[in-house]
Amino acid sequence: MEIVFVVAIAENGVIGAGGAIPWRLKSDMQRFKALTIGKPVIMGRKTFESLPGRRPLPGRTNIVITRDADYRATGAIVTTSAADAAAVARGDALRRSAAEIAVIGGAEIYRQWLDHADRLEITEVHARPDGETHFEIDRAAWDEMSRIRHPAGPDDSADFSYVTYRRRRSH
């Protein structure tokens, strides 16, 4: 079962500013949905709370990791550790016959899961916004498999590229 990160990253490594995404890419929402629908999605509390309407993503099992054992999220499964989230996600993926588990953020969740990731599905945003939350790709650990550049659509604030990386395996 593959662990797939789905993340949008600006050219300067920024993924967030003030608890929000510092760009608008409506075009990317369709890709995000296609990459995550029918799969378990793992996220942190802040990412869950940033979802539209603070509602779970439909058609996916939403798994929220938080340090707060009393936290509740309607329509989501709340766990207090990456290990618990992994167990729930694996069971859900098997039940759904899904071959992947999607990790969708934020920065702390990406850090916790990075050593387990098999593939990165990156939306590379061709902008350099200010922001305090970053994600850096260690190019020595990943092979770029594909790259498709797109101009900004009518509801997009920047040009972007879809880039797929696969973890480099030592033989």
Side-chain angles (χ1 to χ4, degrees), residues 91-150:
D92 182 69
L94 290 170
R95 181 181 59 80
R96 290 175 174 266
S97 298
E100 300 171 351
I101 295 167
V103 176
I104 64 169
E108 179 61 28
I109 301 304
Y110 289 133
R111 274 191 287 281
Q112 290 176 13
W113 284 80
L114 187 57
D115 289 344
H116 306 286
D118 299 294
R119 194 172 84 237
L120 307 177
E121 290 293 346
I122 305 296
T123 300
E124 196 173 88
V125 182
H126 300 299
R128 303 182 75 75
D130 290 333
E132 67 284 343
T133 310
H134 294 82
F135 186 101
E136 301 296 333
I137 298 170
D138 176 2
R139 308 279 183 201
W142 299 92
D143 288 321
E144 184 175 316
M145 306 306 289
S146 68
R147 173 180 294 270
I148 304 167
R149 188 172 176 110
H150 297 274

Side-chain angles (χ1 to χ4, degrees), residues 18-35:
I21 297 171
W23 52 77
R24 177 170 166 73
L25 286 181
K26 191 170 183 186
S27 299
D28 189 43
M29 292 297 104
Q30 295 165 337
R31 179 174 187 257
F32 177 85
K33 183 176 182 180
L35 288 169

